[in-house]
Amino acid sequence: MKTTTFKGRDFLSETDFTKEEIETVLDVATELKRDRAMGKYHDDLLRTKTLFMIFYNQSLRTRNSFEAGMTQLGGHAHYLDPGKIYTPALEGKEVAYSTERVSDVARVLDRMGDAIAIRCYGDPVDWEYGGAHNLLLEFARWADIPVLNMEDDVYHPFQGLADVLTVKEKFGGFKGVNFTMSWAYSPSVHKPRAVPQSAILYASMLGMNVTLAHPEGMELDPQVVSKCEEYAQAAGGAFKVSNDFEDSIANAHVVYPKAWCPTVMFKAPVGEDDPKKSMDIFNQNKSWKCTRELMETADRNAIYLHCLPADRGYEVTNEVMDKTSGSGWQSAIFDEAENRLHVQKAVMSLVM
Ligand code: CP
């Protein structure tokens, strides 16, 4: 385990930490997970500490894993609904007596607690790609305490950590693991790109053989793709993009199909601010659904991952989601969801 200084640092994207630091986080998460199973709780690690959580969007896993994690470490997580406080807003987006400038909110919370965690994407920033990430960067600029990204419009770094911890647990490491991140059909186009972008960044950084699969029009951020290529080269893994769903799953060890919105969904200049055109592209690709037959073509010991919530019957069939025992390939979605708790406890312990 590399010893390094995490204390006081923000965690807004996977690129904030080096590969060695990510490996340290995974080691700490494993240790906390094992200790808890053995009845050792570490409930003094964040005693008296407060995490402020600002959710512009809905959540089940993120909210509850951060809250439970803070409780288990002896601290407290405080839930803030932007509709019930003065909505934190960037300069130029303010509304009198309804919003409060981010720089002021950040400096107030900084005087009272020990970290600020934020979720923001999509409607709250009018689908301006990168608008939510900029909001988080502004919080980080003004707060001296750590700012944590609970999913914005570019990255979902804690989800990605849980994903790779699950891979490590199932395969013992990352070398030689064929990791397929694929788009899948959903009846909703209101889905950010953060999960697939974080997943491929970590998978490339850690040296897996990564395939990103999607229909045309569903491309991810070119800067993220180019960072993946750089990571893959440095780590001795591989990275490729495919438009062939079936081919991307054949022989994969990790099968991770989920929906994300097409580029046209975003406001100009990135996209066309066009939900109808987005839905048309989605509807042309309904066959991108993960089925048992497709999973049978993956590696015999493959795992199916999904960040959840999944659109059952659209992105994936029930029999794939629910195959969590028996021989052959497995769904590992509940291990993956549980691992949110352990990786977040690890990061909070290190930076707070
Ligand atoms: N995977 C994930 O972030 O789930 P929630 O939207 O429920 O937080």
Side-chain angles (χ1 to χ4, degrees), residues 86-352:
Y86 306 101
T87 309
L90 294 174
E91 188 177 355
K93 309 253 175 182
E94 293 157 298
V95 180
Y97 206 43
S98 171
T99 67
E100 186 165 358
R101 193 171 288 187
V102 166
S103 56
D104 297 340
V105 178
R107 284 178 289 181
V108 168
L109 296 180
D110 178 299
R111 300 288 183 102
M112 298 174 182
D114 304 279
I116 304 170
I118 305 154
R119 163 168 286 195
C120 185
Y121 57 79
D123 288 336
V125 288
D126 299 324
W127 290 90
E128 179 194 335
Y129 182 67
H133 191 62
N134 283 340
L135 184 103
L136 268 68
L137 288 170
E138 189 66 2
F139 265 99
R141 187 156 87 91
W142 291 99
D144 286 334
I145 55 177
V147 175
L148 309 177
N149 181 352
M150 297 194 294
E151 184 172 11
D152 64 25
D153 47 8
V154 186
Y155 306 107
H156 196 349
F158 289 102
Q159 179 64 55
L161 276 177
D163 300 340
V164 290
L165 180 59
T166 309
V167 173
K168 190 176 177 195
E169 289 173 346
K170 302 294 179 190
F171 296 102
F174 303 113
K175 213 78 208 144
V177 172
N178 300 331
F179 183 100
T180 291
M181 180 83 235
S182 170
W183 185 84
Y185 173 74
S186 160
S188 169
V189 293
H190 291 83
K191 302 212 173 193
R193 296 164 153 182
V195 166
Q197 295 193 157
S198 284
I200 59 173
L201 280 166
Y202 282 120
S204 311
M205 175 197 277
L206 295 167
M208 292 187 238
N209 304 320
V210 182
T211 301
L212 169 65
H214 57 73
E216 281 180 27
M218 232 63 80
E219 288 74 20
L220 294 181
D221 184 332
Q223 285 185 10
V224 168
V225 169
S226 128
K227 190 75 192 167
C228 289
E229 287 162 351
E230 187 188 310
Y231 276 148
Q233 194 168 27
F239 180 83
K240 69 172 182 197
V241 181
S242 163
N243 295 134
D244 188 327
F245 186 44
E246 284 81 14
D247 189 55
S248 75
I249 291 176
N251 301 315
H253 297 103
V254 181
V255 180
Y256 196 159
K258 85 166 295 295
W260 63 80
C261 69
T263 310
V264 291
M265 183 72 187
F266 297 111
K267 255 186 163 164
V270 172
E272 299 170 24
D273 195 12
D274 195 336
K276 185 177 172 312
K277 200 166 174 181
S278 302
M279 202 66 242
D280 290 344
I281 301 175
F282 264 44
N283 286 335
Q284 286 157 22
N285 293 289
K286 284 188 176 176
S287 61
W288 287 60
K289 180 197 285 194
C290 190
T291 60
R292 181 177 55 76
E293 291 75 15
L294 271 179
M295 287 303 296
E296 302 292 351
T297 71
D299 183 86
R300 197 187 171 280
N301 297 313
I303 56 170
Y304 164 78
L305 294 185
H306 195 294
C307 58
L308 304 180
D311 293 316
R312 283 176 177 262
Y314 298 101
E315 294 177 288
V316 57
T317 60
N318 289 328
E319 59 182 342
V320 171
M321 294 267 297
D322 296 330
K323 187 175 179 295
T324 53
S325 60
S327 61
W329 62 269
Q330 299 282 323
S331 166
I333 52 176
F334 300 114
D335 297 317
E336 183 186 9
E338 180 194 333
N339 282 338
R340 292 293 304 276
L341 174 72
H342 306 299
V343 297
Q344 286 158 201
K345 284 170 68 179
V347 173
M348 291 193 292
S349 303
L350 291 164
V351 302
M352 290 169 74

